């Protein structure tokens, strides 16, 4: 049975994140909006990223009702986060919530992400921050503040917790996730260097760089996505 392209791409995104060591056992999650419905696709709580296939994905309503598929365990934190996001931001069609060592490390820094690399310049003045408030278990209070903190940005550090990257497409959200991870890794590598010894481009250069980097291709992330899916096919990863 051939599944819709959205489900195929979302399953590929899970497996690519696993291949790049951006997963965290069964604790983080990636989703995509179900076209034309008040619902989204997400992997069942309890699956490793490397195990996810198009047929294993759940369809979940914005209010957390399972519409299609079989759960291992009800994933309240995942459903609250993704459902609230899609309800409030119709421009977002995919969201990646990850807990990588580098991403969590930068999320715990008072100054957050610094423009120390070309990877980081993709996000210059385009990053939001949300203070830690334990597990996301409440639609009304916790997600209201999270959505307010995100504003109209697509990138957020959840303080002491992880990252949230969003896009118009799965490919765009993956593009942001990859570049953000690389930027965080570089910053962590430089953490022992005194701040006065770091070379940081001027604000004017940073502002020009982010515009150039994000307008370099018309369908952001598509070129890399095609190349990476070829790699999945070569590895015979479903």
């Amino acid at each position: 049975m051939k599944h819709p392209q959205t489900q195929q791409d979302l399953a590929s995104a899970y497996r690519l994140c696993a291949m790049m060591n951006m997963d965290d056992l069964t604790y983080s999650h990636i989703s995509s909006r179900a076209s034309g419905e008040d619902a989204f696709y997400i992997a069942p709580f309890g699956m490793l990223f490397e195990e996810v296939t198009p047929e294993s994905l759940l369809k979940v309503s914005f209010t957390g009702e399972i519409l299609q598929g079989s759960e291992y365990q009800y994933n309240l934190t995942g459903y609250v986060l993704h459902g609230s996001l899609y309800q409030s931001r119709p421009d977002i069609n995919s969201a990646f919530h990850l807990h990588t060592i580098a991403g969590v490390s930068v999320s715990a820094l008072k100054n957050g992400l610094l423009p120390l690399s070309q990877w980081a310049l993709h996000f210059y003045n385009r990053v939001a921050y949300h203070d830690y408030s334990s597990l996301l278990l409440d639609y009304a209070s916790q997600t209201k503040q999270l959505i307010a903190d995100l504003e109209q940005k697509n990138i957020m550090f959840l303080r002491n917790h992880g990252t949230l990257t969003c896009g118009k497409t799965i490919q765009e959200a993956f593009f942001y996730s990859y570049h953000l991870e690389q930027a965080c890794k570089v910053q962590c590598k430089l953490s022992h260097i005194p701040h006065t010894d770091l070379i940081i481009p001027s604000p004017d250069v940073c502002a020009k760089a982010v515009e150039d980097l994000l307008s370099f291709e018309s369908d952001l992330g598509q070129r890399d996505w095609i190349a990476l899916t070829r790699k999945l096919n070569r590895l015979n990863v479903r």
Side-chain angles (χ1 to χ4, degrees), residues 14-15 18 23-26 43-44 46-53:
Y14 272 100
R15 296 193 300 276
D23 53 348
D24 177 27
L25 296 180
T26 64
M47 291 194 82
L48 298 172
F49 276 27
E50 67 189 38
E51 297 178 298
V52 177
T53 60

Side-chain angles (χ1 to χ4, degrees), residues 50-175:
E50 67 189 38
E51 297 178 298
V52 177
T53 60
E55 57 266 28
S56 68
L57 292 167
L58 303 176
K59 184 189 287 186
V60 183
S61 75
F62 290 166
T63 55
E65 178 187 358
I66 307 303
L67 304 176
Q68 177 182 304
S70 176
E71 299 177 292
Y72 288 90
Q73 178 183 336
Y74 190 79
N75 186 7
L76 181 58
T77 60
Y79 305 156
V80 165
L81 172 62
H82 295 271
S84 299
L85 185 64
Y86 292 126
Q87 274 188 304
S88 62
R89 289 283 301 274
D91 59 310
I92 289 173
N93 291 312
S94 184
F96 289 45
H97 171 47
L98 303 175
H99 307 154
T100 67
I101 297 296
V104 173
S105 296
V106 173
S107 81
L109 298 176
K110 287 184 179 180
N111 290 329
L113 184 69
L114 300 175
L116 297 173
S117 66
Q118 183 163 279
W119 287 304
L121 289 171
H122 285 84
F123 310 106
Y124 183 71
N125 282 344
R126 299 187 181 219
V127 175
Y129 295 88
H130 174 69
D131 288 339
Y132 186 71
S133 61
S134 190
L135 298 178
L136 287 172
L137 299 173
D138 189 295
Y139 276 92
S141 61
Q142 290 175 298
T143 58
K144 182 178 180 180
Q145 187 59 54
L146 187 149
I147 297 302
D149 290 341
L150 183 61
E151 298 178 320
Q152 291 304 304
K153 296 182 173 71
N154 283 353
I155 314 298
M156 173 178 273
F157 281 93
L158 306 175
R159 294 289 195 182
N160 311 101
H161 182 172
T163 59
L164 176 66
T165 53
C166 309
K168 297 185 294 295
T169 64
I170 294 170
Q171 295 89 333
E172 182 182 15
F174 179 85
F175 176 92

Side-chain angles (χ1 to χ4, degrees), residues 6 31-35 37 39-41 62 86 89-90 92-93:
T6 296
S31 70
S32 60
R33 186 189 295 270
S35 180
E37 300 181 58
F40 58 93
Y41 295 105
F62 290 166
Y86 292 126
R89 289 283 301 274
I92 289 173
N93 291 312

Side-chain angles (χ1 to χ4, degrees), residues 173-190:
F174 179 85
F175 176 92
Y176 291 141
S177 297
Y178 170 79
H179 287 279
L180 187 62
E181 175 69 0
Q182 299 301 97
C184 290
K185 285 179 177 178
V186 169
Q187 186 163 328
C188 289
K189 287 280 189 181
L190 294 171

